[in-house]
Amino acid sequence: RGMASSPGSGQGEPLYESHVPTTVMEKLMVATRSAVGALRDPERADLVASLGDATGHDALLRMRDAMRENDVGRRILEERPMVTEGTVKIWELRQMPQGTFGRAYADFMDGHGFVADDRATVQYVDDEELAYVMTRYRQVHDFVHVLTGLGTTVEGEIVQKWLELLHTGLPVCLLSACVGPLKLTPRQHLRLATEWVPWATRCAAHSPFMLNIYYEELFAADLQELRARFGIPPLPYGIPYESGALEEAPSH
């Protein structure tokens, strides 16, 4: 597999199957249209994904470099694992012992009706390797939910976006972290500021870069031991794992 593209490839031939080559001006138009649409309807995952593609170049470079500087990250870049229904055999994970990361992931996906193939494809990233980095970032989202214990409530998803923002620096995470709280109650706003953001800051400071974990190789490991190994702090007092809000998020 090629590891990088040539400069100015945004105006040339597609670099990967889903690639839509765009000029700088076209990217600006995509970003503007997507940002306006996402602000109106934050549940439009396609618009959020397009915004991430169009604005993420500098952050993706830093993410790629962080992976290159780590043994596990380099191996992931070389092997390019994909998280799909075909590569992650959910029916096998359902048979794993209770308490393992794999079983917890299967229970999480089944419990919420999620499938691994739901993630948006990358379109507007004009570098084949950086496109994979963005793909990997999107595809490990549910692994991070399970590893941290964060739920899929509105509150839980906002906290995960704060964690992803601190890990990746992607501008689209900042948008989600700032727009999402508009849906929260005053009590939830207070909890976000006094408990959740400090928790996300501690988690980001002590845990490995989220793309330098080979999640697929850890399915047989004990989940609690993984949390201790990776420095994942317990969720705030009184908030059980995989919950933490009064209202379920309508979309994933």
Side-chain angles (χ1 to χ4, degrees):
R1 298 184 179 95
M3 298 300 287
S5 65
S6 59
S9 58
Q11 302 179 47
E13 293 297 317
L15 299 170
Y16 47 91
E17 185 176 354
S18 59
H19 183 218
V20 179
T22 48
T23 64
V24 172
M25 184 58 66
E26 288 169 338
K27 278 189 176 56
L28 179 60
M29 294 173 62
V30 168
T32 302
R33 183 176 66 248
S34 299
V36 171
L39 285 170
R40 290 177 176 171
D41 185 1
E43 297 168 20
R44 285 285 302 276
D46 58 329
L47 295 178
V48 174
S50 295
L51 179 62
D53 288 0
T55 62
H57 180 75
D58 290 347
L60 288 170
L61 284 173
R62 292 190 295 270
M63 293 162 66
R64 189 268 315 275
D65 290 346
M67 295 179 73
R68 286 182 173 180
E69 293 169 2
N70 179 270
D71 289 343
V72 176
R74 278 198 305 274
R75 189 156 63 87
I76 291 172
L77 285 175
E78 292 169 0
E79 298 178 4
R80 305 249 182 128
M82 299 292 286
V83 183
T84 67
E85 286 293 283
T87 61
V88 177
K89 298 177 175 56
I90 197 77
W91 57 90
E92 294 181 357
L93 300 183
R94 293 180 184 124
Q95 307 304 315
M96 299 192 79
Q98 287 282 356
T100 60
F101 177 57
R103 176 61 178 272
Y105 173 74
D107 290 345
F108 175 87
M109 299 296 281
D110 289 343
H112 295 289
F114 298 154
V115 293
D117 294 337
D118 282 345
R119 293 293 162 197
T121 57
V122 177
Q123 293 180 291
Y124 302 110
V125 176
D126 294 328
D127 181 289
E128 188 253 353
E129 185 176 39
L130 296 185
Y132 175 74
V133 173
M134 179 64 91
T135 297
R136 183 67 176 173
Y137 157 73
R138 290 176 183 163
Q139 291 186 346
V140 302
H141 180 86
D142 292 318
F143 290 146
V144 175
H145 267 294
V146 175
L147 185 60
T148 59
L150 291 169
T152 60
T153 59
V154 172
E155 198 172 9
E157 291 289 1
I158 292 169
V159 179
Q160 180 144 327
K161 284 304 173 186
W162 273 100
L163 178 60
E164 292 175 359
L165 172 63
L166 293 167
H167 266 283
T168 68
L170 284 166
V172 70
C173 294
L174 179 61
L175 176 71
S176 298
C178 292
V179 173
L182 297 176
K183 295 183 175 183
L184 300 182
T185 66
R187 179 170 173 265
Q188 290 172 324
H189 271 287
L190 179 62
R191 186 159 60 189
L192 180 67
T194 61
E195 297 183 20
W196 282 120
V197 173
W199 176 88
T201 302
R202 290 195 304 274
C203 188
H206 296 292
S207 61
F209 178 47
M210 59 186 293
L211 298 190
N212 286 341
I213 299 176
Y214 215 136
Y215 300 90
E216 298 92 326
E217 296 183 347
L218 302 174
F219 287 144
D222 181 84
L223 179 56
Q224 297 300 334
E225 291 179 1
L226 285 180
R227 287 170 175 160
R229 170 182 165 187
F230 291 134
I232 307 295
L235 298 183
Y237 176 77
I239 312 256
Y241 281 94
E242 295 186 20
S243 67
L246 302 177
E247 176 187 2
E248 282 289 330
S251 67
H252 179 44

